[in-house]
Amino acid sequence: MTEITHHTLTSETADNAAKVSRREFIKRVIASGAVASAALYVYGGLSGCGRKGAVAGGVERLVSINVNGTVRRVDVLPQETLAMTLRYKLGLTGTKLGCDRSECGACTVMIDDVTHYSCSTLTHAVRARKVVTIEGLEGPNGELHPVQKAFVAELAPQCGFCTPGQVISAVALLKRNPKPTREEARFAMSGNLCRCGAYDNYLNAVMRAAAEGWHMAYKLLGKDFIPHDVVAKVTGRAKYSEDFRAEGMVFCRLLLSPMPHARVKSIDATEALKMPGVLGILTPDD
């Protein structure tokens, strides 16, 4: 994704305001968007974004990483995060991007059996280590991991977006502590946020997995019942809008004014339009 970093903003007090208020500016920009090309970021990888050939003091671009037991060769930029590599280079979209700043835990993976936020881990830092994502937990014939079974039995997911990270954190916990107390499980899972608030369900699933006492069904009017989408959620196969890609796809990025209670008098996008990959910029004037 190409980020527009150059902009010119000036501010005045409300009394000397220009015609476009900050509120009006934000409304119009939200309606229009700032369009930047991301075609180079998917399907062709990020290889076209940098200079060709070796760069003095740089790092090797084509690297080998062990993901889910398979060594994969991939072209990686020097500052590329593991989450970007997994999702957009290797197609492992079970690793979700929520906050993209090490706060929500949706991107959690295991590196040498230790949980890490892949959104803040550089891919070049894991070349000699073993990475496990939600896709690597299932057995060779598609059988669910015991933790995934417990998550299904407890109907732990609601929307399911945070579930892959929750499952990975639970697996890592039980690897190092097979019989945790509920408080120990709560602490171990505290790095994974659930915006649906299904924390008790996730904790129940962890304790069920630790006890190895699952019964993969819920009672519904006297019959065992498993919601049709819950397995997809605990395996990372559930797709959300960010997981879909199309060839030639472009992205919009919204740039807001950093000035609170100010008026935007002018926007100079000349330098931004010269940046590689930028297709166009829309402002309130458009």
Side-chain angles (χ1 to χ4, degrees):
M1 185 181 296
T2 303
E3 181 178 358
I4 299 171
T5 57
H6 176 85
H7 61 281
T8 302
L9 295 173
T10 58
S11 61
E12 281 187 351
T13 61
D15 292 338
N16 299 319
K19 293 182 179 179
V20 181
S21 69
R22 181 174 181 269
R23 182 181 296 273
E24 290 168 345
F25 170 73
I26 292 174
K27 285 181 179 179
R28 295 182 191 180
V29 173
I30 290 175
S32 58
V35 181
S37 171
L40 295 175
Y41 206 48
V42 292
Y43 293 110
L46 294 165
S47 57
C49 296
R51 289 176 289 176
K52 295 181 179 180
V55 179
V59 296
E60 181 185 1
R61 289 282 295 269
L62 189 62
V63 300
S64 298
I65 55 176
N66 187 321
V67 180
N68 297 331
T70 302
V71 177
R72 309 285 296 271
R73 293 285 284 173
V74 61
D75 185 8
V76 179
L77 286 178
Q79 300 302 317
E80 185 173 328
T81 64
L82 182 58
M84 293 297 180
T85 302
L86 293 173
R87 289 181 55 82
Y88 305 127
K89 300 291 184 62
L90 302 180
L92 299 173
T93 57
T95 299
K96 305 302 182 187
L97 276 175
C99 65
D100 205 18
R101 60 187 64 187
S102 303
E103 292 180 356
C104 73
C107 67
T108 302
V109 299
M110 282 189 294
I111 302 176
D112 292 340
D113 292 337
V114 178
T115 54
H116 289 261
Y117 292 150
S118 61
C119 74
S120 59
T121 302
L122 294 181
T123 305
H124 283 279
V126 302
R127 285 188 284 180
R129 306 164 77 182
K130 295 180 180 180
V131 179
V132 176
T133 71
I134 188 70
E135 291 89 350
L137 296 182
E138 292 182 74
N141 298 317
E143 59 270 22
L144 297 181
H145 186 282
V147 170
Q148 292 172 316
K149 292 181 181 180
F151 273 53
V152 171
E154 292 292 338
L155 295 184
Q158 289 196 32
C159 80
F161 190 83
C162 73
T163 303
Q166 303 275 3
V167 171
I168 290 291
S169 291
V171 171
L173 164 65
L174 297 181
K175 276 180 173 287
R176 66 178 183 271
N177 183 4
K179 297 294 181 181
T181 65
R182 190 174 181 86
E183 195 57 36
E184 288 173 334
R186 187 190 308 276
F187 180 79
M189 303 290 288
S190 62
N192 295 82
L193 302 184
C194 173
R195 289 174 174 83
C196 300
Y199 294 109
D200 279 342
N201 290 22
Y202 285 126
L203 282 174
N204 292 341
V206 174
M207 301 313 295
R208 177 185 283 264
E212 297 183 350
W214 28 75
H215 172 56
M216 282 188 59
Y218 243 62
K219 289 290 183 179
L220 179 68
L221 301 179
K223 297 181 179 180
D224 287 346
F225 172 75
I226 300 175
H228 72 279
D229 61 346
V230 68
V231 173
K233 291 176 179 177
V234 303
T235 57
R237 290 196 290 268
K239 297 294 185 183
Y240 302 82
S241 58
E242 175 63 16
D243 298 328
F244 293 96
R245 288 292 181 271
E247 188 173 358
M249 187 173 177
V250 298
F251 279 57
C252 294
R253 185 176 184 88
L254 182 65
L255 180 64
L256 299 180
S257 168
M259 311 286 186
H261 306 292
R263 306 284 184 178
V264 178
K265 296 180 63 178
S266 64
I267 299 175
D268 183 1
T270 305
E271 294 300 320
L273 286 168
K274 296 179 182 178
M275 295 176 63
V278 175
L279 297 182
I281 296 174
L282 300 179
T283 71
D285 294 335
D286 300 305

